[in-house]
Amino acid sequence: MAGDKYRVRAGAVRPSHLMFTSGVGSLVDLPNFSVLVSGLDDWRHEGAYGWEPLAEPRLLAAIQSFPYHKGDPEYLDFRSVKELRPAPWLAGIERDPSGPASKVGVPTVPFPGWMRCTACDLLAPIDSKVFGFENDKPRKPHEARFFHDNCGRKRKGRKPLAVAARFVLACTGGHLDDFPYVEFVHHGQPCAKVSHPTLQMIDRGGNLGANVEVRCTNCEEKRNIRAVLGRRGQDQLPRCRGRHPHLSRFDEGCNRQLHVLVVGASNQWFPQTLAALAVPQTGAKAIDTMVERHWEAIKPLILPMYPWARENLPAMRDHFAKWSDQDVWEATERRRAIEAGGTEKKPPAYPDLRSPEWEVFSAEELPEPNDDFAVRRLDEVPGRLKEVYADVLQVERLREVRALIGFTRLDAPDPEDPELVTRAPLSRSRPLWVPASQVRGEGIFLRLPEDLLRDWEERVIESEAMTQHLEAYTRFRSYRYSDRIKGNFDAARGWPGPRFYALHTLSHLLIRTIALQCGYSSASLSERIYAGTADDPRSGILIYTAVPDSEGTLGGLVSLAEPDRLVELTFGALRDARHCSSDPLCAERTPQAPADFLHGAACHVCLFVSETTCERGNRYLDRRFVVPLADEPGLALFAGLL
């Protein structure tokens, strides 16, 4: 917010909010009005002394390799990204509201551009100059407000509050625009009386949806917002004109169908993020990375020269001591093959950030601890749990880095098929950096026996319940994208498969038990599911704390992996899963046509957790695939354990 003294700061959010709820292009509801977070071009880090880019090479490489197709707009090309930057911030704003800290932050602009007087119902754009703005209390930015300066109904000398007119337009291309109130009330025609009519917005309330009337005081035309709501009303809306208000620009040639949204609607902004754990590289991955980093130095060498190079060449002497000459030679040959184009692989449709993590957690020899990652394996899985877990790791220290690479409107991005939804840009041109945040925490890694999962998959893959889940997934995808599908569309693409259902359900059971019995709030926990395929078997669950406060690093979660406590935790979770206070409705639920929900025997009572905890939005959950339920006990992964 620009202005005079003390009129800069409009509010505050946590850095993590700028990644998940209040990022670039999103509307942020303040107590008296709403603002739109501006694009990266307007962010300024110059005054934020002491900040440094976040270092996570694996995440940065994934962002740089994010799918970019010839013909896409330049701002979707992330090959130019060089840094992961935290939000600009400087301490001292409370101590000195007009000092250097007041000039550092994330810029915003008021949006929507129309305001309504709460006293006389006048509806007018902000740039009409009929509304004033005050923010003269330096330590109370939450009291900043717009007001109707010349309202005839002001009381006790206080000028009436003006609030945002609560309707906006959005399209699936990520564009956002003001609602065309003048054109709407006059049915697309100019006012018969004046060129710049005066409007009123009258909210009549009611329990049958929106009942908001827009009235022209000059020609007496009036119209209810209900006329353009829903599918029937969409045809009366104009086509999209490609506006990106957070970038102060218009895209050419959008012309998509617009949808009416209420300010604060949950589908006005969905972040597209990537997250990676700072795990050490192991095995061939590590040596390949080291060869890539020092390629120019070791490229001219042949195998017989390696003994000499280890004595005289700094790159070989300092960075390849733990590998044999043969290992280094094989890695350089792989690099030469890629350079020649012989075995180079195309980048995946979505960056694979889980494989290196799985390799570390499942390695026979765990990496040496460092400041970002420390893990310890139990000497032996407790006897009663050998039928449940093949391996248990105590993750004593971890660091997770998250980056925002774009956002969508109306439809959330699909991690398995990201190109189905159009990603909106963060900047007006090719970005040089993206916003990022980091959290530190601890966790438990649990690996299930591969034989157990493989036998269970063969048993349930063709069951009626699993077939219903697959069919529900195809319906979900078809309903969601049927109006914007281009070319071939595989409705079953990205289905996580039976193994994910079992691992994901078990993860939620453990998280809820941890929250109920061990003092952690479920919102302070996160999960990462490592579910593979027949060709690439994986069977791991990581439950970890990933919050910026002290609750995440006090050692409490790691202690739950001690043998006695882990036995109690696991069997308590499995016993509780057999019953739900919503049974039999919950236990008998399956996603039958025409329903397209993506869960079976699961609900808020027994399995659902907070949105910040679940990595898949409380989807792909079903108790019957983990514990025996009355209707189909044979489908349970642990059918004979309880």
Side-chain angles (χ1 to χ4, degrees):
M1 298 289 296
D4 299 330
K5 187 178 181 181
Y6 298 154
R7 297 195 177 188
V8 176
R9 187 183 180 206
V13 297
R14 288 185 175 186
S16 59
H17 286 188
L18 291 171
M19 305 294 301
F20 298 106
T21 56
S22 308
V24 172
S26 69
L27 283 172
V28 182
D29 275 331
L30 301 178
N32 297 318
F33 60 101
S34 61
V35 295
L36 188 74
V37 180
S38 298
L40 302 183
D41 310 272
D42 300 321
W43 290 30
R44 294 292 179 265
H45 287 76
E46 289 83 357
Y49 306 112
W51 75 274
E52 294 181 357
L54 299 180
E56 181 43 53
R58 194 163 61 88
L59 180 59
L60 182 59
I63 294 171
Q64 293 169 341
S65 64
F66 204 83
Y68 175 74
H69 305 285
K70 186 177 181 180
D72 283 349
E74 183 184 48
Y75 50 66
L76 295 181
D77 184 359
F78 278 68
R79 291 175 294 182
S80 58
V81 173
K82 304 299 182 186
E83 291 180 337
L84 307 174
R85 291 189 180 184
W89 177 82
L90 187 63
I93 186 70
E94 296 296 337
R95 182 177 63 255
D96 184 7
S98 60
S102 66
K103 307 299 189 294
V104 178
V106 177
T108 61
V109 294
F111 196 88
W114 286 72
M115 308 292 289
R116 178 181 69 86
C117 175
T118 56
C120 67
D121 294 324
L122 175 70
L123 178 66
I126 295 176
D127 56 14
S128 65
K129 305 296 178 63
V130 301
F131 299 113
F133 178 71
E134 60 183 7
N135 186 16
D136 55 0
K137 297 179 180 179
R139 291 183 174 84
K140 296 183 179 181
H142 59 279
E143 294 187 7
R145 70 184 200 123
F146 285 90
F147 58 87
H148 187 187
D149 198 6
N150 297 313
C151 180
R153 299 185 181 181
K154 59 184 177 182
R155 300 173 182 175
K156 297 181 180 179
R158 184 168 175 81
K159 298 173 182 177
L161 176 69
V163 297
R166 58 192 180 105
F167 299 100
V168 295
L169 299 177
C171 82
T172 56
H175 299 116
L176 187 70
D177 210 343
D178 283 302
F179 189 91
Y181 293 104
V182 174
E183 293 81 1
F184 167 73
V185 73
H186 296 101
H187 297 268
Q189 303 299 319
C191 179
K193 299 291 186 179
V194 297
S195 59
H196 293 80
T198 300
L199 304 182
Q200 284 184 313
M201 174 180 280
I202 303 171
D203 192 340
R204 302 186 182 279
N207 59 2
L208 297 178
N211 188 11
V212 179
E213 183 180 87
V214 180
R215 176 184 300 172
C216 176
T217 60
N218 301 105
C219 67
E220 300 299 327
E221 284 282 353
K222 58 183 178 181
R223 199 176 180 192
N224 199 295
I225 289 290
R226 285 189 303 218
V228 291
L229 297 182
R231 291 186 177 274
R232 293 183 179 179
Q234 288 179 355
D235 294 338
Q236 302 183 46
L237 293 171
R239 307 302 289 185
C240 180
R241 55 181 187 159
R243 185 183 180 189
H244 282 309
H246 67 292
L247 302 178
S248 301
R249 65 173 289 173
F250 290 81
D251 288 341
E252 296 181 0
C254 179
N255 203 36
R256 300 190 190 204
Q257 176 65 59
L258 287 169
H259 300 258
V260 179
L261 298 181
V262 178
V263 173
S266 60
N267 63 342
Q268 62 90 14
W269 189 84
F270 294 100
Q272 190 168 22
T273 61
L274 293 177
L277 300 179
V279 296
Q281 291 180 314
T282 59
K285 295 280 186 180
I287 192 172
D288 288 341
T289 301
M290 195 63 67
V291 167
E292 177 75 24
R293 186 176 303 169
H294 301 283
W295 179 239
E296 294 302 322
I298 66 175
K299 179 181 179 180
L301 302 177
I302 58 176
L303 183 58
M305 297 176 63
Y306 282 5
W308 171 87
R310 290 185 183 276
E311 297 288 337
N312 300 279
L313 190 65
M316 285 288 288
R317 182 182 65 242
D318 299 337
H319 302 289
F320 292 91
K322 64 180 179 179
W323 291 292
S324 68
D325 290 352
Q326 187 63 36
D327 290 338
V328 177
W329 177 252
E330 291 175 357
T332 58
E333 287 296 285
R334 289 194 295 270
R335 179 64 182 81
R336 287 192 179 93
I338 291 176
E339 196 173 60
T343 60
E344 184 174 10
K345 296 181 179 180
K346 295 181 179 180
Y350 205 75
D352 180 13
L353 291 167
R354 300 293 175 95
S355 291
E357 297 169 11
W358 168 254
E359 290 175 1
V360 170
F361 287 127
S362 60
E364 292 185 6
E365 183 178 348
L366 297 175
E368 293 293 325
N370 56 45
D371 292 340
D372 294 333
F373 189 80
V375 62
R376 181 165 58 90
R377 174 174 279 122
L378 289 189
D379 295 334
E380 185 180 9
V381 176
R384 294 185 62 194
L385 291 179
K386 288 183 178 179
E387 297 181 58
V388 182
Y389 307 128
D391 197 10
V392 177
L393 303 182
Q394 294 175 298
V395 185
E396 298 174 340
R397 189 164 53 248
L398 61 79
R399 180 173 71 103
E400 182 184 43
V401 182
R402 304 158 177 168
L404 178 69
I405 60 172
F407 64 90
T408 63
R409 302 198 193 276
L410 300 179
D411 281 325
D414 186 345
E416 302 300 330
D417 202 350
E419 296 183 6
L420 278 180
V421 180
T422 302
R423 174 162 45 105
L426 301 177
S427 58
R428 287 185 283 270
S429 59
R430 188 177 298 174
L432 300 178
W433 60 275
V434 294
S437 66
Q438 69 176 4
V439 290
R440 296 181 182 273
E442 55 172 326
I444 306 172
F445 177 80
L446 306 167
R447 181 165 61 88
L448 275 64
E450 182 60 31
D451 293 342
L452 173 69
L453 278 170
R454 188 182 302 112
D455 294 342
W456 172 81
E457 284 179 302
E458 294 176 355
R459 191 169 73 245
V460 304
I461 186 63
E462 296 183 358
S463 67
E464 182 180 358
M466 191 60 71
T467 301
Q468 289 174 341
H469 277 286
L470 174 58
E471 292 174 349
Y473 179 80
T474 60
R475 287 193 298 272
F476 172 81
R477 295 248 300 164
S478 298
Y479 294 167
R480 186 178 181 190
Y481 301 117
S482 60
D483 61 342
R484 67 199 69 137
I485 296 170
K486 297 179 181 179
N488 296 327
F489 175 68
D490 181 5
R493 178 181 175 183
W495 187 56
R499 180 175 299 219
F500 188 91
Y501 277 83
L503 294 172
H504 195 206
T505 302
L506 178 59
S507 174
H508 277 227
L509 291 173
L510 294 172
I511 288 172
R512 289 177 64 92
T513 304
I514 290 171
L516 290 174
Q517 297 184 6
C518 307
Y520 281 101
S521 66
S522 63
S524 69
L525 301 175
S526 296
E527 65 177 1
R528 288 174 90 83
I529 308 298
Y530 301 90
T533 62
D535 299 328
D536 182 19
R538 301 179 188 178
S539 54
I541 300 170
L542 175 66
I543 300 174
Y544 63 106
T545 56
V547 290
D549 58 23
S550 60
E551 185 176 3
T553 56
L554 295 179
L557 185 55
V558 168
S559 68
L560 298 181
E562 295 295 337
D564 291 342
R565 302 192 69 183
L566 185 60
V567 169
E568 179 183 354
L569 173 68
T570 301
F571 282 98
L574 295 178
R575 283 194 300 268
D576 291 344
R578 299 196 63 177
H579 305 283
C580 172
S581 59
S582 294
D583 286 342
L585 294 178
C586 178
E588 296 174 355
R589 182 188 299 113
T590 55
Q592 301 180 20
D596 65 342
F597 54 82
L598 301 180
H599 63 272
C603 67
H604 287 282
V605 177
C606 59
L607 275 184
F608 290 174
V609 295
S610 64
E611 293 181 1
T612 57
T613 297
C614 179
E615 65 176 6
R616 301 303 290 270
N618 283 320
R619 297 168 180 159
Y620 317 117
L621 297 167
D622 198 328
R623 285 185 291 138
R624 62 170 52 86
F625 294 138
V626 174
V627 296
L629 300 183
D631 58 341
E632 297 173 288
L635 296 179
L637 178 64
F638 305 114
L641 190 60
L642 298 176

